[in-house]
Amino acid sequence: MKINRIVALLYRDLLIFSRAKWRIVETFYFPITTILIWGMFSVFMKDFSLEAGLIVPIINIFWNFAYISQSTTNMSMLEDVWSGGFKQLFVSGIDQTDFIIARLIFSVGVSLVLMVTMLVISYYVFDLSIILTSFNSMMSLSVITLISSLALSVLVASFIIVAGREYAFLAWTTLQLFVMLSAPFYTVDILPAPVQYIAQLMPYTDVFEAARSLITHGLVSSNLILRGFVISISYLLASLPVYYFAFHMAKKSGNLVKLS
């Protein structure tokens, strides 16, 4: 791993991102309009149920943050695949460590800009004062979400590297499944019994449960946040050896060359 190579990749990703209008739209337009739509819904629902009106936009903030954190890494990789530049990067001296670290750093930067934008809109437009009154808890849940999403992006990248470019759709579909299994708007016990065990292992389950607890009780159990950190870090630590193993298998089978 070399810093100059990582910086070069970051600069390259920034240029590609800024010139790809559809990426800018996907990254900012859809999440922001989603927050606006659900924010207006929350204003409407306050007349019927204050808690229901607040839960929906808060959950959507973390949902959109998770999606952009995960998909940005994978889409940056896929742009190299689709442009035919994937192989050239590694021929130029970039190794798999430089490649993934640069993409993760770029994803963090983009997703943090989006997160701040969504929080500002939610606070000033829809008066979600819980963002400030429970600032420490919100930041803890944001960090858990970010770690989990980065880990998931590494796992998705690993699978695409081994299985091939025809599985590129996993870059924008995987998170939906993970969120569904994480019980975003409801408690885990609503899920079928066998699925409840899976939900306990999902990296976002504790985030959504904690977010709902903030709305309904005004506080979050420290055990819940600790468990969220443990699961998210476990995902990240598990994803890295999977990534290196995927590269090894792709080199051995020739799939790494086929990606370009």
Side-chain angles (χ1 to χ4, degrees), residues 5 12 20 34 46 72 91 96 112 115 173 258:
R5 293 175 180 172
R12 181 176 181 273
T34 298
K46 282 182 180 179
T72 299
V91 171
Q96 60 263 45
L112 287 180
M115 186 60 161
T173 59
K258 294 178 183 177

Side-chain angles (χ1 to χ4, degrees), residues 123-140:
Y123 180 79
Y124 286 104
V125 178
F126 301 114
D127 195 28
L128 292 182
S129 57
I130 193 172
I131 292 172
L132 286 186
T133 57
S134 301
F135 184 77
N136 290 337
S137 295
M138 289 290 291
M139 291 303 100
S140 295

Side-chain angles (χ1 to χ4, degrees), residues 123-161:
Y123 180 79
Y124 286 104
V125 178
F126 301 114
D127 195 28
L128 292 182
S129 57
I130 193 172
I131 292 172
L132 286 186
T133 57
S134 301
F135 184 77
N136 290 337
S137 295
M138 289 290 291
M139 291 303 100
S140 295
L141 296 180
S142 298
V143 172
I144 294 170
T145 303
L146 181 61
I147 295 172
S148 300
S149 302
L150 295 179
L152 186 57
S153 71
V154 175
L155 292 173
V156 170
S158 302
F159 191 88
I160 294 174
I161 288 169

Side-chain angles (χ1 to χ4, degrees), residues 12-195:
R12 181 176 181 273
D13 285 343
L14 181 60
L15 288 178
I16 293 174
F17 180 83
S18 63
R19 293 171 182 173
K21 301 299 186 293
W22 69 273
R23 285 288 306 280
I24 296 174
V25 169
E26 181 184 67
T27 302
F28 294 101
Y29 174 77
F30 287 111
I32 290 174
T33 53
T34 298
I35 292 301
L36 289 172
I37 290 168
W38 286 110
M40 287 183 281
F41 172 77
S42 72
V43 172
F44 171 75
M45 283 299 295
K46 282 182 180 179
D47 294 332
F48 302 92
S49 173
L50 177 61
E51 292 178 354
L54 293 176
I55 285 174
V56 172
I58 290 295
I59 293 297
N60 270 281
I61 287 173
F62 290 110
W63 189 337
N64 279 291
F65 182 49
Y67 174 73
I68 295 302
S69 300
Q70 175 260 309
S71 65
T72 299
T73 299
N74 296 134
M75 293 306 296
S76 296
M77 182 191 83
L78 287 171
E79 282 173 341
D80 290 327
V81 172
W82 293 329
S83 67
F86 188 79
K87 182 173 65 176
Q88 281 69 28
L89 281 177
F90 294 100
V91 171
S92 69
I94 299 293
D95 62 22
Q96 60 263 45
T97 302
D98 301 326
F99 183 79
I100 197 64
I101 288 179
R103 270 56 204 275
L104 292 176
I105 293 174
F106 184 73
S107 179
V108 169
V110 171
S111 55
L112 287 180
V113 171
L114 175 65
M115 186 60 161
V116 170
T117 304
M118 290 191 295
L119 291 175
V120 169
I121 290 174
S122 299
Y123 180 79
Y124 286 104
V125 178
F126 301 114
D127 195 28
L128 292 182
S129 57
I130 193 172
I131 292 172
L132 286 186
T133 57
S134 301
F135 184 77
N136 290 337
S137 295
M138 289 290 291
M139 291 303 100
S140 295
L141 296 180
S142 298
V143 172
I144 294 170
T145 303
L146 181 61
I147 295 172
S148 300
S149 302
L150 295 179
L152 186 57
S153 71
V154 175
L155 292 173
V156 170
S158 302
F159 191 88
I160 294 174
I161 288 169
V162 170
R165 64 167 69 195
E166 60 267 31
Y167 288 92
F169 64 88
L170 293 175
W172 56 86
T173 59
T174 302
L175 186 85
Q176 191 85 351
L177 176 62
F178 271 68
V179 168
M180 183 182 71
L181 294 174
S182 299
F185 297 111
Y186 39 83
T187 56
V188 171
D189 55 17
I190 296 294
L191 298 170
V195 182

